[in-house]
C-alpha cells in the first residue's frame, strides 16, 4: 500500500512540474527571405534537382526532401502594434528603399511569415512519440483485509509506430512548411510589384505636371501675342479664342494629373503604413534604367525554376507524395510495449511482467480508401503544378514582349 501511495505521489509531482512551455520553440530554418533557388520535381528515390525545360513539367515523381530545423532559446512573437510607420527623409524617394521598406513592414508579409512559422511548429509534433501511459489498479477490499495483502497493479506503456511512419509524418509537415515559406516570398514579390507600379505612377504624375506647366507658359505667351495682333487687326478673334480653349484644356488636364498624383501618394503611404494624406519626397528628376534583355527562352526557363509560386506547388506535391507513402504504411501494425508490477499474484516471482500489444489492421476497406484518396490528391497536386508552370510561362512571355515593345 505504501508503494502504491508513493507511486501516485511521484506521478502528481511530475504532473505539477510539467505544463505549457513556450521558451524553446522550433523555428524553421529555411531561406524564405533569400533569393529563391531552383525547386523542381525529382524522382522519389534519386536526388537529382534538374530544372524542367520550357513546356515540360517532369512530374513522374517527386522527391520527399527534408528541410532543416533548429531550436532557439527564445522567440518573442512579433507584435504588429509595435511596428512604426516608415519615416521618410526630405531626400529623394528611392525605389529600392521603398520596396525594401514595404516588404519589411507590410502586414501581409507579417501574416504570411507567422503562418510559415506556425506550419514549422507542426514538425516536432509529428515526429514525436505519443505520451507514455501509466495505469494503476487497486482492490479496495484488500486494503483492510486480514486474509490477504493489499492487492494492486501498476503498469507503464509506450506506443511505438511502425518503422518509417514518424519520418513520413515529419516529411509531410516539412513539405507543408516549405510551401508556406515560398508563399512568404510570393507575397514579398507581389508587394514589390505593387510598390514599383505606385512609384512609377507617382513619377509620371510629377513629370506630367511639369510638362503641363511648361505648355501653359507657352500657351499664355501665344495668347498674349494673339491679343496684341488682334488689337492691331492683324489676326481674327479666333486665334485668341483658340488659345483660351487650349488653356482651359490644360487646366482640366492638370486637375486629372493632380488626382493621379494624390492617388499614387496615397497608395505609397498605405503600403508604408503611413497616413494616406502625408506628403512624400519627390523621386529623382531623371531615372536611367538600362535593360539588357537575355534570350526569351532563357527567361522562360529561369522563371520556371525560380518563381516561388511554382516552388510552393512543388512542395505541396511532395507533401501529397508523403501522405500517400504514409497511407501505405498504415497496413503495418504499431506496437505498444509495457511493463507491469502485479501484486495480485501471490507468487513473488510472477509479479514483475513485461509484454507488448499490436493493433491488427484487418479492415482493409478503410485502408484501401485512404490510399486511393492519397493517390487522387497526388494527381490533383501534379495537375496544379502543370497549370502553374503554364501560367507563369504565359505571364512571363507577355511581360517580355511588352518590354521589347517599350524599348
Amino acid at each position: 500500500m505504501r508503494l502504491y501511495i508513493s507511486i501516485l505521489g511521484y506521478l502528481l509531482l511530475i504532473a505539477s512540474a510539467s505544463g505549457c512551455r513556450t521558451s524553446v520553440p522550433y523555428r524553421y530554418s529555411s531561406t524564405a527571405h533569400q533569393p529563391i533557388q531552383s525547386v523542381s520535381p525529382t524522382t522519389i528515390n534519386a536526388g537529382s534537382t534538374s530544372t524542367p525545360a520550357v513546356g515540360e513539367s517532369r512530374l513522374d515523381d517527386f522527391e520527399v526532401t527534408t528541410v532543416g530545423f533548429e531550436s532557439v532559446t527564445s522567440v518573442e512573437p512579433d507584435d504588429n502594434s509595435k511596428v512604426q510607420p516608415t519615416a521618410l527623409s526630405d531626400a529623394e524617394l528611392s525605389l529600392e528603399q521603398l520596396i525594401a521598406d514595404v516588404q519589411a513592414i507590410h502586414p501581409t508579409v507579417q501574416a504570411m511569415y507567422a503562418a510559415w512559422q506556425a506550419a514549422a511548429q507542426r514538425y516536432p509534433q509529428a515526429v514525436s512519440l505519443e505520451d507514455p501511459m501509466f495505469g494503476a489498479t487497486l482492490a479496495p477490499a484488500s486494503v483492510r483485509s486480514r486474509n490477504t495483502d493489499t492487492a494492486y497493479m501498476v503498469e507503464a506503456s509506450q506506443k511505438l509506430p511502425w518503422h518509417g511512419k514518424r519520418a513520413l509524418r515529419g516529411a509531410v509537415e516539412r513539405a507543408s512548411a516549405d510551401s508556406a515559406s515560398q508563399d512568404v516570398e510570393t507575397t514579398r514579390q507581389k508587394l514589390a510589384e505593387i510598390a514599383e507600379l505606385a512609384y512609377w505612377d507617382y513619377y509620371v504624375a510629377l513629370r506630367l505636371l511639369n510638362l503641363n506647366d511648361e505648355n501653359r507658359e507657352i500657351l499664355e505667351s501665344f495668347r498674349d501675342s494673339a491679343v496684341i495682333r488682334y488689337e492691331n487687326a492683324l489676326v481674327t478673334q479666333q486665334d485668341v479664342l483658340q488659345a483660351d480653349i487650349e488653356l482651359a484644356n490644360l487646366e482640366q488636364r492638370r486637375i486629372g494629373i493632380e488626382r493621379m498624383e494624390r492617388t499614387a501618394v496615397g497608395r505609397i503611404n498605405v503600403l508604408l503604413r503611413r497616413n494616406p494624406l502625408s506628403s512624400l519626397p519627390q523621386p529623382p528628376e531623371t531615372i536611367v534604367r538600362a535593360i539588357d534583355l537575355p534570350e526569351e527562352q532563357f527567361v522562360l526557363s529561369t522563371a520556371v525554376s525560380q518563381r516561388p509560386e511554382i516552388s510552393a506547388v512543388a512542395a505541396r506535391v511532395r507533401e501529397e507524395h508523403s501522405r500517400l507513402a504514409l497511407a501505405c504504411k498504415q497496413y503495418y501494425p504499431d506496437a505498444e510495449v509495457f511493463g507491469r508490477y502485479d501484486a495480485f499474484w501471490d507468487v513473488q516471482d510472477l509479479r514483475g511482467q513485461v509484454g507488448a500489444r499490436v493493433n491488427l489492421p484487418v479492415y482493409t476497406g478503410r485502408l484501401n480508401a485512404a490510399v486511393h484518396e492519397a493517390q487522387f490528391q497526388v494527381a490533383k497536386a501534379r495537375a496544379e503544378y502543370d497549370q502553374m508552370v503554364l501560367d507563369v510561362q504565359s505571364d512571363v512571355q507577355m511581360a517580355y514582349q511588352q518590354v521589347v515593345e517599350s524599348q
Side-chain angles (χ1 to χ4, degrees), residues 24 28 41 103 108 113 117 120 138 147 151 317 354 370 377 393 400:
V24 189
Y28 191 67
Q103 291 178 334
T108 306
Y113 182 82
Q117 293 299 332
L138 173 68
N147 300 324
V317 175
V354 294
Q377 290 293 344
Q393 290 176 347
Y400 187 93

Side-chain angles (χ1 to χ4, degrees), residues 150-224:
T150 300
Y152 65 90
M153 179 184 67
V154 291
E155 177 183 277
S157 62
Q158 175 66 61
K159 187 175 181 180
L160 302 174
W162 187 269
H163 174 70
K165 286 186 177 181
R166 290 170 59 202
L168 287 172
R169 294 191 188 111
V172 169
E173 301 305 335
R174 282 168 170 164
S176 177
D178 193 26
S179 177
S181 72
Q182 302 302 326
D183 290 338
V184 175
E185 186 62 25
T186 299
T187 302
R188 286 166 53 84
Q189 289 190 359
K190 290 182 178 179
L191 285 173
E193 178 184 5
I194 294 172
E196 186 163 358
L197 290 175
Y199 180 89
W200 289 117
D201 286 345
Y202 181 45
Y203 177 84
V204 170
L206 293 179
R207 300 290 79 78
L208 289 177
L209 285 175
N210 293 337
L211 181 61
N212 188 278
D213 292 339
E214 294 175 2
N215 291 337
R216 182 178 184 85
E217 292 179 1
I218 295 174
L219 276 175
E220 286 178 347
S221 175
F222 173 80
R223 184 185 182 281
D224 293 341

Side-chain angles (χ1 to χ4, degrees), residues 206-384:
L206 293 179
R207 300 290 79 78
L208 289 177
L209 285 175
N210 293 337
L211 181 61
N212 188 278
D213 292 339
E214 294 175 2
N215 291 337
R216 182 178 184 85
E217 292 179 1
I218 295 174
L219 276 175
E220 286 178 347
S221 175
F222 173 80
R223 184 185 182 281
D224 293 341
S225 176
V227 170
I228 294 175
R229 292 170 63 85
Y230 172 70
E231 291 175 349
N232 294 326
L234 297 177
V235 296
T236 64
Q237 191 179 11
Q238 181 179 359
D239 291 346
V240 179
L241 296 177
Q242 184 66 36
D244 289 337
I245 292 175
E246 293 298 333
L247 285 172
N249 290 336
L250 281 178
E251 184 62 26
Q252 182 181 7
R253 175 62 174 163
R254 182 178 182 82
I255 294 174
I257 297 174
E258 289 176 345
R259 175 192 55 78
M260 177 180 174
E261 178 197 10
R262 288 192 297 269
T263 301
V265 169
R267 288 164 58 193
I268 294 175
N269 281 325
V270 169
L271 288 172
L272 294 174
R273 303 182 72 168
R274 304 170 75 238
N275 189 324
L277 302 180
S278 300
S279 61
L280 289 176
Q282 292 193 1
E285 288 289 338
T286 303
I287 300 178
V288 179
R289 304 189 69 182
I291 301 177
D292 186 13
L293 280 180
E295 294 292 333
E296 186 174 7
Q297 185 75 14
F298 174 80
V299 173
L300 293 175
S301 299
T302 303
V304 171
S305 64
Q306 295 190 359
R307 283 288 287 267
E309 302 97 316
I310 296 180
S311 300
V313 179
R316 285 194 284 271
V317 175
R318 294 198 303 272
E319 177 184 352
E320 296 302 334
H321 267 286
S322 298
R323 293 186 187 276
L324 174 59
L326 182 60
C328 294
K329 283 284 186 180
Q330 299 304 324
Y331 288 94
Y332 300 97
D334 299 327
E336 182 180 1
V337 296
F338 64 88
R340 177 188 301 153
Y341 184 83
D342 190 350
F344 283 87
W345 287 89
D346 293 333
V347 182
Q348 186 72 25
D349 293 342
L350 298 180
R351 291 185 176 183
Q353 304 169 12
V354 294
R357 304 183 186 91
V358 296
N359 65 302
L360 301 178
V362 296
Y363 299 110
T364 56
R366 173 177 59 84
L367 300 175
N368 293 339
V371 171
H372 293 158
E373 177 188 3
Q375 289 174 335
F376 286 118
Q377 290 293 344
V378 169
K380 174 177 176 289
R382 286 177 168 180
E384 290 175 347

